[in-house]
Amino acid sequence: MLIAVLIGVPAVAGALLLVLRPARGAAAVGIGTAVAVLALAVAAALTRPSLDLPLLAGIRAGLAVDDLSAVLVLTVASVLPASLVVAAAEGELRTGRFQGLMLLFAAAMLGTVTATTVPPLLIAWEIMGATSWALIGYRSADRAAARAGAVAFLTTRTADLGIYVAAGAMLAGGIGGIGGIGGIGGLELADLTGTEGGWLHVAVGGLVLAALGKSAQLPFSFWLSGAMRGPSPVSALLHSATMVAAGAYLLLRVSPALAATGWAGPVVTWIGLGTAVLLGLVAAAQTDLKQLLAASTCSQIGFIVVAAGNAAVGAGLLQTVAHAAAKSLLFLVAGIWLARLGTRSLDGGLRGAARRAPVVGVAFTVGALALAGFAPFGLWIGKDAVLATSLAVSPAQYVVGLVAAGIAAVYSGKALWFVWRPARDDRVAVAAPSVLVTVVLAAGAAAAGLLAFAPALRPDPVPHPGELVASALIAVAGVAVAWRIGDRCAAPRSLSGWLGLESLAVRGLARPVLVAAAALARADGGLDRAVTGAARGVLSLALLTDRRAERGGLEATVRAVARGARELGAAARRPQTGQVHQYYAQASVGFGLLAALAVLVIVVR
């Protein structure tokens, strides 16, 4: 029952705010609901509730807070109130629509991470996608934001089809349904490895596709760039701890199935490493703070994907929590600066931003250093826990991972260099609740490494002290290099443009699809015209037959025969006068004619 309340409270409150849209008090209701969700999440993490409900004939819905989902439940519930408190400082985000959408999204995310069977996962996944689209395009007057929301929605929806394929493959492979391995109505994610025959590969392939799309991994990373058009609190919630983490979390949950296929684990691992390196370079090339943070999100989520590919669940969870704490902090500070300074340009209005709001600036510095991998912050431990699993599998993985870690230090140092330049203007005032949120999140980002001692997040294998020292030195060196270079290095256009992936997707996929759709539409139109022409021909032929054959020919003949019959009848009635003498005269004439005919026959013979 607790798990239903945990998901139901934000869902109902969000729906009511969205429908009623109160003129006042929406922010208070939203924050109050978020705090209640946090309390429920703590209770759920302690008591580990589960729920099993019949959904459809032969299919059931399973929800549970286990060791894996408890971490994500707490993470989502912690970031939600922080995002809403900062959003409350902006007038346009205190509306019932915004608060309602945020709560609905959180409910969907909680449903996603607690789902143990595919049907509730699909439902929550779809709601999460729809609400994220509405939140990214929240400012409806901003056409660029609306387009970005559509791009994000269509890109992730394309990848989401993989879950439907996976569900069908699981059913075909004997998982779920009546008599399935999971019992009546299974479709249990935990039973995925039992999928029979080649259906296991199809199911795993579908889930990998959906997860990579949702987590903005290569080649789907570009949608996250456009998503930065949304409000910063949306970025803090969706693009640090929830939506982008959902895909990586799904991979962690099905990591035994990845290993069972023999191919999915290595593929996922190298996609994660490739994303960590390439999107790290993209982040280092940005001069827009939110774009830098977005690209770094792809890169850091790549480490979680690597952990999933190597079946290192504890290391992956540790990286997930540490990244959520640091990145939600950085996005919220970016939003505060955008609201107060009106810019997110590092080489423009954000020069010296940390000096103009010192407390917020120090909090940003903690988050950036954590992102860089500085010891003893959380991402230092989390990243090294992932790299330790890579070293156990392949030295090549470890080396590439270290390269990605060094790049992370460079882009983090670049952001710090800009915001700590000498300030040109006076200090700016920041609302006290927003400052408090940044301080709390900074403390969380700094202390997240302590979670490595928790049983569910304990890395296996444990990083060697030498590896920890090496990565810490790389982080220091990367920040030092960025500080030395400053703004003297121009970035290649391919990197600042996110590798041109959106353009490639448009030219390689969207346009061909549109051209094919237009061709099919034209073919459909031609078929329609052909059918319409045939119908018109048949109608004309019918009218011609009616007019010429039936009315002019057959009907006229019938009428002539009828008329002749009526005339013969009239002629036949004429001798029938009822007078005996006339009948006698007619008989005499008849007999006379017969007699004459008989004489004629005799003479002729």
Side-chain angles (χ1 to χ4, degrees), residues 224-245:
L224 194 55
S225 172
M228 294 301 103
R229 298 290 306 189
S232 293
V234 171
S235 302
L237 179 64
L238 273 65
H239 308 137
S240 66
T242 54
M243 185 172 170
V244 292

Side-chain angles (χ1 to χ4, degrees), residues 4 7 9 40 66 91 164 195 206 210 249 335 339 344 350 376 466 469 472 573 599:
I7 299 173
V9 166
L40 290 169
D66 53 18
Y164 291 91
T195 307
Y249 166 81
R344 56 190 204 186
L350 290 185
V469 171
R573 283 198 304 272
V599 171

Side-chain angles (χ1 to χ4, degrees), residues 192-569:
L192 184 59
T193 54
T195 307
E196 299 172 353
W199 293 113
L200 171 64
H201 302 279
V202 177
V204 170
L207 291 176
V208 167
L209 177 66
L212 294 179
K214 194 67 83 181
S215 287
Q217 296 297 286
L218 289 173
F220 303 103
S221 306
F222 60 88
W223 71 260
L224 194 55
S225 172
M228 294 301 103
R229 298 290 306 189
S232 293
V234 171
S235 302
L237 179 64
L238 273 65
H239 308 137
S240 66
T242 54
M243 185 172 170
V244 292
Y249 166 81
L250 178 61
L251 292 177
L252 289 173
R253 181 164 282 283
V254 301
S255 57
L258 301 183
T261 62
W263 59 266
V267 168
V268 164
T269 298
W270 282 104
I271 289 177
L273 286 170
T275 305
V277 172
L278 292 177
L279 270 297
L281 293 173
V282 169
Q286 303 302 315
T287 55
D288 180 303
L289 179 56
K290 287 192 70 176
Q291 290 293 319
L292 185 153
L293 295 177
S296 72
T297 295
C298 300
S299 177
Q300 294 291 328
I301 294 292
F303 285 104
I304 307 173
V305 172
V306 170
N310 290 330
V313 176
L317 281 179
L318 184 58
Q319 172 75 4
T320 301
V321 176
H323 174 259
K327 193 54 65 63
S328 58
L329 164 65
L330 295 172
F331 270 125
L332 288 178
V333 173
I336 291 170
W337 282 339
L338 177 60
R340 301 304 302 165
L341 306 177
T343 180
R344 56 190 204 186
S345 172
L346 285 169
D347 57 355
L350 290 185
R351 280 180 179 264
R355 297 177 185 269
R356 300 180 65 186
V359 177
V360 174
V362 170
F364 181 86
T365 302
V366 172
L369 292 178
L371 192 65
F374 260 54
F377 300 124
L379 278 172
W380 170 61
I381 300 291
K383 183 169 68 278
D384 276 299
V386 174
L387 293 181
T389 65
S390 293
L391 183 59
V393 174
S394 163
Q397 283 191 25
Y398 181 72
V399 171
V400 176
L402 282 182
V403 171
I407 296 171
V410 171
Y411 60 67
S412 302
K414 176 180 178 178
L416 286 174
W417 187 87
F418 276 109
V419 301
W420 282 107
R421 289 296 88 198
R424 299 172 182 170
D425 300 303
D426 297 333
R427 292 188 176 184
V428 294
V430 178
S434 298
V435 174
L436 179 61
V437 166
T438 61
V439 171
V440 171
L441 289 177
L450 296 176
L451 294 173
F453 297 102
L457 283 74
R458 185 172 298 151
D460 182 22
V462 177
H464 188 276
E467 298 170 23
L468 292 170
V469 171
S471 71
L473 292 176
I474 288 174
V476 173
V479 172
V481 168
W483 203 272
R484 180 73 176 173
I485 294 175
D487 60 353
R488 294 191 297 275
C489 184
R493 182 175 298 179
S494 59
L495 293 179
S496 59
W498 285 67
L499 307 175
L501 291 175
E502 182 171 354
S503 178
L504 286 175
V506 169
R507 290 200 305 267
L509 183 62
R511 283 181 184 170
V513 169
L514 290 175
V515 169
L520 290 173
R522 286 194 297 271
D524 182 65
L527 183 61
D528 178 69
R529 287 191 294 273
V531 172
T532 302
R536 287 176 178 170
V538 170
L539 180 61
S540 300
L541 182 61
L543 291 174
L544 180 65
T545 302
D546 176 64
R547 188 168 52 250
R548 297 290 178 83
E550 292 192 8
R551 296 184 185 180
L554 184 60
E555 184 176 343
T557 302
V558 171
R559 287 181 178 177
V561 171
R563 187 168 55 253
R566 284 198 300 271
E567 291 175 354
L568 287 174

